[in-house]
Amino acid sequence: MYKRILLKLSGESLMGAKQYGIDEVRLAEYAQQIKQIADMGVQIGIVIGGGNIFRGLTGAGKGFDRVKGDQMGMLATTINALGLSSALTAIGQKARVLTAINMFPIGEQYSKWKAIEWMEKGEIVILAGGTGCPYFTTDTGSALRGIEIEADVMLKGTRVDGIYTADPEKDPTATKFDKITYDEIYQKGLKVMDLTATTLCRDNKLPIIVFNMDKPGNLVKVMSGENIGTLVYEK
Ligand code: UDP
């Protein structure tokens, strides 16, 4: 079993059945799943996206300055981080938000050492604000944080069951890979994460498991070694 993980949650999934913002039912489901694995003794760092609230690139398409738009996106991830920490605390799971950019008292500013110290004390750390820099995504933020906190694996929770030959929501003939190398992702042009994130994981040998986080119970299954998603690894 993995000792320490970095869990990436997409902001978009937090919308649940809604068109925008946070669905409290989905948030509570996520919190339950996360508590289940915390109870197994695993150390957990979480990076959460902000696409349910604001994306810099979409904003730029509507006339926003890109850097300000990305800063709005980073703030959106912080809103989600606070929501998740609140949902975890509500069910008795200690969690704290560490922010990439100093915004105390919303959270303490992130450092590797602080994150590890809290995880070792049994608290979940939610790492808000992505990398803290514009022009990056939270996938890259989670790859970076995963490497920094010396996670054994990055678990990328999505709304599909893993990596497919094509987008399964658009192409019914698409088939799922049980495992795939980083290089195959480039060669086949698969859209798993942005290339910056994939490359960071490859260069630093951080394996990734892509799985469907929207099915309650799946996170425990992944942690128990069940092959329900796609493993990305170095040959
Ligand atoms: N963002 C950023 N730097 C980072 C991480 C995120 O500027 O290191 C901004 C960017 O504008 C992005 C938004 O935050 O569009 C939300 O993150 P993301 O799109 O990755 O969220 P997700 O798609 O996972 O919901």
Side-chain angles (χ1 to χ4, degrees):
M1 201 181 77
Y2 301 112
K3 179 171 168 271
R4 182 179 297 155
I5 64 157
L6 190 294
L7 175 65
K8 160 75 205 302
L9 299 174
S10 90
E12 211 161 310
S13 297
L14 278 191
M15 286 194 289
K18 298 188 177 174
Q19 300 296 312
Y20 177 83
I22 301 176
D23 175 23
E24 58 288 347
V25 177
R26 171 60 54 76
L27 190 67
E29 275 171 16
Y30 276 3
Q32 282 295 349
Q33 290 205 65
I34 294 163
K35 184 173 186 330
Q36 279 178 341
I37 64 160
D39 289 343
M40 293 162 79
V42 58
Q43 294 178 17
I44 305 165
I46 300 175
V47 167
I48 190 157
N52 54 325
I53 300 172
F54 200 87
R55 281 204 178 95
L57 201 55
T58 316
K62 293 177 181 165
F64 283 85
D65 173 80
R66 175 67 194 269
V67 173
K68 288 193 197 303
D70 280 340
Q71 289 171 337
M72 290 164 75
M74 288 186 265
L75 291 173
T77 74
T78 311
I79 292 174
N80 287 335
L82 290 173
L84 183 61
S85 72
S86 170
L88 285 164
T89 310
I91 56 170
Q93 174 60 55
K94 285 195 173 154
R96 66 176 61 217
V97 175
L98 299 178
T99 60
I101 298 166
N102 185 11
M103 46 177 100
F104 187 80
I106 284 177
E108 271 181 277
Q109 191 163 6
Y110 165 85
S111 81
K112 166 185 175 165
W113 322 111
K114 240 182 266 177
I116 291 178
E117 190 183 332
W118 288 115
M119 284 188 295
E120 285 180 340
K121 285 183 183 157
E123 289 205 29
I124 291 175
V125 291
I126 306 172
L127 309 171
T131 62
C133 299
Y135 296 96
F136 288 97
T137 62
T138 49
D139 278 341
T140 301
S142 68
L144 175 65
R145 296 302 189 226
I147 296 159
E148 282 189 271
I149 66 169
E150 299 171 31
D152 301 316
V153 67
M154 170 171 153
L155 302 182
K156 182 171 156 64
T158 67
R159 57 181 184 195
V160 288
D161 291 328
I163 302 173
Y164 282 75
T165 48
D167 184 348
E169 289 178 351
K170 292 186 189 137
D171 181 350
T173 65
T175 54
K176 183 171 89 73
F177 295 98
D178 281 341
K179 54 182 186 171
I180 189 168
T181 63
Y182 303 105
D183 287 340
E184 280 174 303
I185 289 179
Y186 301 123
Q187 285 155 13
K188 297 183 198 295
L190 298 172
K191 291 186 178 58
V192 182
M193 308 193 295
D194 56 276
L195 292 181
T196 314
T198 309
T199 304
L200 256 182
C201 290
R202 185 193 61 176
D203 289 353
N204 295 282
K205 300 189 172 44
L206 178 66
I208 309 161
I209 297 177
V210 181
F211 73 105
N212 186 344
M213 178 78 187
D214 294 355
K215 281 192 199 152
N218 266 2
L219 187 55
V220 167
K221 286 185 182 164
V222 171
M223 287 305 298
S224 309
E226 271 189 55
N227 188 8
I228 58 162
T230 301
L231 169 71
V232 185
Y233 68 108
E234 170 108 331
K235 228 185 330 198

